[in-house]
Amino acid sequence: MSDADSSSGRGRGSGLLAKLVQFHFGTLLVFTTWAFGGQAPWVRQGIAIWGAVGVLLFIAACWNREPSSANRSWPALRYLWPLWLYDLLVIVSCFNPGFREVVLAGEPSLVMADPNPWLPTAARPLLAAKELWQFNVIVLSCFNLFLVLAHRHLVRRVLFVMAANAVVLAVFGTFQKLAGAKGLWFGLVPSPNSRFFSTFIYHNHWGAFVVLNTAVCVGLLFHHLHRSGPRDIWHSPVPMGAVAALLLATTVPLSASRSCTVLIGLLLLGALTHFLLRLVRRRRERGAAALLPVTAIVLAAVLATAGTAYLGRQAIAQRLYQTTAQLAPEARDVNVQSRLTLYRDTWTMAAAKPWFGWGLESYAHIFRIFNTQRAVEMWVWIPFYAEAHNDWLQSLAETGFIGTGLLVLLGLLPLLAIPWRRAGSALPRYLLAGCAIMLLYAWVEFPFANPAVVLTFGASFFCALRYAALDLRSQEDKSS
């Protein structure tokens, strides 16, 4: 990772470029999260426009490499070549449309075109181009954090902004929920989804956003816990970090997101176990008993859980009733079969064009060809799916194994370049734990359809890598 270190420079990290990168990312994050999580047409246009500044900052960061790094591999080539190939795949597909739009009976419809069968195709080239640009500006805005920030305190500053923004959103959403608002922004904006929370239209997207930011809070908490001595822990940011993590976690059951309630519970349980093991080890090293503090902490955790359950009792009761109804033998069979059929049909769609897929942003338009589900009420109708409820399968259907493989490489290349056995800080590990949970969650939901979740995921990922690289460099400097 030394090439990234040299490309940003030790002195330049606190200079103008680093400040611009932090300002740009912070404003992009605040705008995206507070403007419906990015899920409105005008918000996506704003992301595309303001995100373009991130592309310019990326070019400036690459242009201002130090002369001493001339013989080193360029980070933009070493780590981002999968992104450039992915862009090429989608751009080529935009010039090779697989469908064309015609007007039938006064309604616009898609009919099969005659594309080159050896090249990637796009069902809706304009939509594919817009989605590709949004993806690039988000990725590069997050990669700038890895490329430019040259000190660990700068990385922690970005993470603090992320966590603070999430906490304010959580407080806003909690008051909105307790007030019984029927729409977003205390009812000022009607929500297309009845299960919204804070400024997010879909409660599971809010849950995914909270899981990532809770991992940020816990990582910062352990960082300050490591720096604080046993006597001055109450005068450190540790209590504030614990309160922030618990406040965020409370909003997940309050939002009625069942799946993310389980995920946030597992994350906090793992963090609590880590903390207790650390506490027991430290107490034993000093020859002190650990039973009393461990009991007190476990009791506090139980009380916090009970308080969360009480605060969200109405939402939890509603979801428990719905869960019980869905777990009834007949309903369970229908729900499970419906979801399995959706996945099977999506896989059939992906298998029809395994190499390059049907084109970015094509799922909502093409899946209806492969959808075998039918609902019978007063008439027969075909359920419409805009998302596959499985980001991995949807990626295979839209960009094929080649496009999906390039996205996997985009994450693996910088991740594997870190010698993690020598990286001692817990902060990047918690950030990556949050990212790993999201990647697993994407097998049963579509968190990456939300721009705010994608932005938070990218920032957490690249901040984790950057912090680990700087941590290793600090160890090398001390040893030398």
Side-chain angles (χ1 to χ4, degrees), residues 60 88 109 123 169 172 253 285-286 322 341 346 355 393:
L88 178 63
S109 303
L169 280 165
F172 175 83
E285 289 174 353
R286 297 198 302 269
Q322 183 181 5
T341 301
T346 302
W355 298 113
L393 283 178

Side-chain angles (χ1 to χ4, degrees), residues 33-49:
T33 53
W34 283 89
F36 314 115
Q39 288 192 291
W42 67 270
V43 182
R44 291 181 179 270
Q45 293 176 2
I47 294 172
I49 295 172

Side-chain angles (χ1 to χ4, degrees), residues 163-195:
N165 178 65
V167 169
V168 176
L169 280 165
V171 172
F172 175 83
T174 300
F175 280 112
Q176 181 177 257
K177 184 74 173 182
L178 296 178
K182 301 300 181 181
L184 298 161
W185 289 94
F186 286 90
L188 294 177
V189 181
S191 175
N193 192 319
S194 59
R195 293 196 182 98

Side-chain angles (χ1 to χ4, degrees), residues 26 50 66 70 115 134 185 196 211 261 265 317 349 362 393 428:
W50 184 236
E66 289 185 347
Q134 177 182 278
W185 289 94
F196 61 91
V211 169
T261 298
M349 176 181 170
S362 65
L393 283 178

Side-chain angles (χ1 to χ4, degrees), residues 115-127:
N116 187 318
W118 303 103
L119 296 176
T121 62
R124 301 294 298 271
L126 183 58
L127 290 180

